[in-house]
Amino acid sequence: EAGVVQSPRYKIIEKKQPVAFWCNPISGHNTLYWYRQNLGQGPELLIRYENEEAVDDSQLPKDRFSAERLKGVDSTLKIQPAELGDSAVYLCASSYSPLVNEQYFGPGTRLTVT
Amino acid sequence: DQQVKQNSPSLSVQEGRISILNCDYTNSMFDYFLWYKKYPAEGPTFLISISSIKDKNEDGRFTVFLNKSAKHLSLHIVPSQPGDSAVYFCAASAGYNDMRFGAGTRLTVKP
């Protein structure tokens, strides 16, 4: 079974530039999560999807961050414009149901904003 | 605010000995606790979990203990192996609400 796929794995951009991350969850997993992990800290939830609906985006900085999950499968997280403080690892995770606590994580995208 | 705390950023043990990783939480509504393991350049991998109705859960070399009165849980790895060297994250959730993670403990198992 293929795991959660994320791309790109690494991204370096200058501040004020836009950037987008892509995630393909495990087949059959209806719940998808985007996390941000700052250096030396644990993952922090940005947004959670149930199928194509964003059911929890309270931690998403909506002035510059946006996300979508068209057709309830793949998802894209975008930052526009990026700031220096956005440098972090962005993790995507999925689970087959919101009633399951165990989540399966992708390898993450390491973003560096210069 | 940090609702889940892992106060030891690192731990080093000898191969074959016991590794004990600790985690404290502040939110009394948390009722499900998980441990994730993370290797470099990979995402966290689920390791073991425990519900608040239990005080112990075992899976092979890994055992998680929960002390609800102290709001404390620990992960025991016996015997420790060099392949266990990784960062371990403690996580907690209230019902099926989203998980809160600790900052992680880097475990090094020396041969």
Side-chain angles (χ1 to χ4, degrees):
Chain A
E1 179 184 83
V4 176
V5 179
Q6 290 187 249
S7 69
R9 293 294 310 275
Y10 305 91
K11 189 75 175 178
I12 301 174
I13 61 171
E14 294 183 347
K15 62 181 180 182
K16 300 184 182 180
Q17 294 301 305
V19 65
F21 315 122
W22 176 79
C23 172
N24 180 246
I26 292 174
S27 177
H29 281 198
N30 297 319
T31 307
L32 184 145
Y33 311 78
W34 282 103
Y35 287 88
R36 177 169 60 190
Q37 184 179 10
N38 292 314
L39 188 64
Q41 298 182 21
E44 295 178 322
L45 181 72
L46 291 173
I47 189 169
R48 173 166 63 98
Y49 280 94
E50 299 300 335
N51 299 300
E52 65 273 12
E53 183 182 357
V55 296
D56 184 358
D57 63 355
S58 57
Q59 301 303 311
L60 191 72
K62 297 182 183 63
D63 56 336
R64 298 182 300 107
F65 285 66
S66 65
E68 61 182 11
R69 191 184 184 199
L70 300 176
K71 300 181 181 179
V73 181
D74 294 2
S75 178
T76 303
L77 178 68
K78 297 178 182 177
I79 308 175
Q80 182 170 9
E83 297 179 352
L84 294 176
D86 295 331
S87 295
V89 175
Y90 290 83
L91 292 162
C92 179
S94 69
S95 61
Y96 70 79
S97 151
L99 304 182
V100 174
N101 296 85
E102 294 87 11
Q103 299 173 15
Y104 294 82
F105 284 83
T109 297
R110 181 176 295 279
L111 173 67
T112 302
V113 182
T114 63
Chain B
D1 64 340
Q2 277 246 294
Q3 298 186 41
V4 179
K5 298 179 182 179
Q6 294 177 257
N7 293 319
S8 298
S10 64
L11 174 68
S12 181
V13 300
Q14 208 67 34
E15 181 180 5
R17 306 295 292 268
I18 184 172
S19 295
I20 300 175
L21 295 93
N22 294 304
C23 178
D24 297 294
Y25 61 95
T26 57
N27 189 341
S28 57
M29 298 299 291
F30 287 148
D31 58 4
Y32 199 80
F33 306 88
L34 307 91
W35 285 94
Y36 280 82
K37 180 167 75 172
K38 185 183 183 303
Y39 292 118
E42 296 182 12
T45 302
F46 169 73
L47 185 60
I48 191 169
S49 62
I50 187 167
S51 165
S52 60
I53 63 173
K54 295 185 176 181
D55 55 18
K56 176 183 175 182
N57 188 27
E58 214 169 336
D59 184 1
R61 297 185 297 113
F62 302 91
T63 303
V64 56
F65 295 92
L66 176 62
N67 182 335
K68 290 186 290 293
S69 61
K71 293 191 178 68
H72 176 84
L73 65 156
S74 60
L75 175 68
H76 293 210
I77 306 174
V78 183
S80 300
Q81 299 174 354
D84 296 329
S85 296
V87 176
Y88 289 79
F89 291 99
C90 170
S93 66
Y96 296 105
N97 291 323
D98 300 300
M99 289 192 293
R100 301 294 179 117
F101 285 83
T105 296
R106 181 177 300 278
L107 172 67
T108 302
V109 180
K110 298 179 178 179

